[in-house]
Amino acid sequence: MADGQGGALLRGVTSSPRATFLELFFDLVFVFALTRVSQRLIDDVSANPPDVLRQVAQTVLLFLALWMVWILTAWVTSRYEPERNPIQFVVVASMFASLVMAVALPRAFAERALPFALAYLAIQVGRPLLLTLALRGHPRRSVTRRILLWFTVGAVPWLLGALLPPAQEVLWTLALAWDYAGLALGWPVPRRGAARPSGWAVAGEHLAERYQQFFLIALGETVLVIGLTFSGAVFSSHAALAFTLSFLTTALLWRIYFHRAGHVLAEAIRVARSPGVLGESASWTHLVIVAAVLLTGVGYELVISHPHGGRTPTGWAVFVTGGPALFLTARARFEYEIFARVSRSRVVGVVLLLGLLPLAPLLPPVGLLGLSVAVLAGIAVADTARAHGRPLERPASPL
């Protein structure tokens, strides 16, 4: 009986593969959270030169903590039935704690360190604890117990880092490395082995849709950056041009992502011999894709605010052309995951964008952004020309 009650939480054959309104509601918090990450990156670039790398590293750590929360929630709702009350409670509670993390994020390495750490641990420890209790005697309870144990151990450096400011960066780096090692290795425990997500039974269409939704959230965050920055900038023809080029970049990122591979991700996971393997691999790829979009959005803010400010600082070029280059690199991996190949245009695009970095000091910011747009537009045109008149390619994942 206990096994039956616990099993009722799992997704069944009649469960809808589409994301629920609850999950879309949960994502709203991450629209705000990503704006906090983006704004913090912008502030980092404006910091004193000796502190720039340190500040950026801190922001990356905080972003990775947010991603860990989101990706595990996505896997939970892909494995368990989101319409069940215990799962809905877990998602809503995670949503509130994620909001606390987002609010604390700008000052997470200062006076708001403890609220950030406590909110993170409330999700990562509380979620497997509640699932363990709800599953009762079900065999899958062993997985949630393993995750619970792993995150409980990892809670120690998180709390110590929040309480010991001089050692916070080191302790939180170790804590996050521990958490990501658990995710990558399947939270192994002595005499019980591991339970890697790649071996889980997941709803392929649902998981693919969740990845794509988070990518769209990241694009939405860049639209906010474009609009808010331009509305607060001094109106000029240069600023208007930077505004237009920024929007074109976002539109091109959307076009390049969804061309072919983005459209068949759900089918690729569904027909894969081991859907969990492809699902897990795609999660790491989308982590880099989303990070690249955020970096690109920072470039928008810098260029729109200072479109013709003489030569482009090298640090700005990392965002203006480095962000799209990182996106194309991750998109090439995504293409390989789906089709076991990489288009030549992706490789050429990365080389061209990286080649613009040394030219940055010779160009105004809006000029560098314009060249970046030209490279992305060339890739989009090449994709369209290659696909013209051909049937939609079927997925052939090598994973």
Side-chain angles (χ1 to χ4, degrees):
M1 183 64 178
D3 181 84
Q5 292 174 343
L9 295 179
L10 304 176
R11 278 183 173 268
V13 293
T14 60
S15 179
S16 172
R18 303 302 303 272
T20 63
F21 291 119
L22 173 66
E23 293 167 281
L24 299 179
F25 183 47
F26 172 77
D27 285 349
L28 293 178
V29 169
F30 284 84
V31 176
F32 172 68
L34 292 185
T35 63
R36 297 300 85 204
V37 173
S38 179
Q39 186 58 54
R40 186 181 166 100
L41 279 173
I42 293 169
D43 294 340
D44 293 342
V45 177
S46 304
N48 295 325
D51 294 331
V52 170
L53 293 179
R54 178 184 177 187
Q55 297 287 348
V56 170
Q58 290 178 353
T59 304
V60 170
L61 188 150
L62 299 174
F63 165 70
L64 290 175
L66 285 170
W67 174 263
M68 175 68 77
V69 168
W70 186 88
I71 193 63
L72 287 181
T73 303
W75 277 84
V76 165
T77 53
S78 187
R79 200 181 193 207
Y80 300 95
E81 178 53 66
E83 299 299 332
R84 296 291 180 180
N85 289 335
I87 305 304
Q88 290 186 345
F89 178 81
V90 166
V91 173
V92 173
S94 298
M95 180 181 180
F96 176 73
S98 299
L99 182 59
V100 174
M101 290 175 63
V103 170
L105 188 144
R107 303 290 296 171
F109 279 89
E111 70 275 6
R112 294 183 179 177
L114 188 58
F116 184 91
L118 289 176
Y120 177 80
L121 294 175
I123 300 172
Q124 306 295 53
V125 176
R127 176 171 49 207
L129 175 60
L130 292 173
L131 289 174
T132 298
L133 296 175
L135 286 171
R136 300 182 184 179
H138 196 277
R140 288 193 183 179
R141 190 183 189 190
S142 63
V143 176
T144 59
R145 291 170 63 181
R146 180 183 287 105
I147 297 173
L148 173 60
L149 176 60
W150 193 274
F151 277 112
T152 300
V153 173
V156 176
W158 278 109
L159 292 175
L160 287 177
L163 297 173
L164 300 173
Q168 182 180 358
E169 293 176 349
V170 174
L171 288 170
W172 277 18
T173 300
L174 291 174
L176 195 65
W178 172 264
D179 292 348
Y180 269 86
L183 177 62
L185 300 176
W187 304 280
V189 295
R191 291 181 295 186
R192 291 183 179 271
R196 292 188 60 183
S198 59
W200 295 358
V202 296
E205 184 176 346
H206 174 269
L207 199 58
E209 187 174 337
R210 297 297 289 135
Y211 292 158
Q212 293 165 342
Q213 286 166 352
F214 200 81
F215 170 68
L216 291 175
I217 289 172
L219 288 184
E221 191 278 332
T222 66
V223 172
L224 283 175
V225 169
I226 294 170
L228 291 174
T229 305
F230 188 57
S231 65
V234 176
F235 282 82
S236 67
S237 58
H238 290 90
L241 177 59
F243 168 79
T244 303
L245 291 174
S246 297
F247 176 78
L248 285 175
T249 302
T250 293
L252 288 168
L253 294 181
W254 165 82
R255 177 70 177 82
I256 293 169
Y257 173 88
F258 279 103
H259 178 76
R260 298 303 202 194
H263 275 297
V264 300
L265 175 58
E267 181 183 356
I269 296 179
R270 185 172 60 250
V271 303
R273 286 177 295 178
S274 182
V277 173
L278 178 55
E280 183 185 15
S281 179
S283 71
W284 297 106
T285 301
H286 281 77
L287 166 60
V288 180
I289 287 176
V290 170
V293 171
L294 293 181
L295 291 177
T296 305
V298 173
Y300 298 161
E301 200 277 345
L302 296 172
V303 176
I304 294 173
S305 298
H306 309 280
H308 57 286
R311 298 178 177 181
T312 306
T314 303
W316 291 20
V318 172
F319 299 99
V320 178
T321 65
L326 182 62
F327 170 83
L328 288 179
T329 301
R331 180 58 178 75
R333 171 183 162 87
F334 183 40
E335 185 176 19
Y336 178 79
E337 290 171 331
I338 304 300
F339 297 122
R341 60 165 174 78
V342 175
S343 299
R344 184 180 304 172
S345 62
R346 307 282 184 267
V347 179
V348 173
V350 171
V351 172
L352 290 176
L353 287 169
L354 292 179
L356 291 175
L357 289 174
L359 298 178
L362 306 176
L363 299 169
V366 71
L368 186 64
L369 180 59
L371 290 176
S372 179
V373 169
V375 172
L376 294 175
I379 293 172
V381 170
D383 287 344
T384 301
R386 187 174 62 252
H388 181 69
R390 298 181 180 179
L392 186 63
E393 188 176 359
R394 311 312 304 174
S397 176
L399 302 181

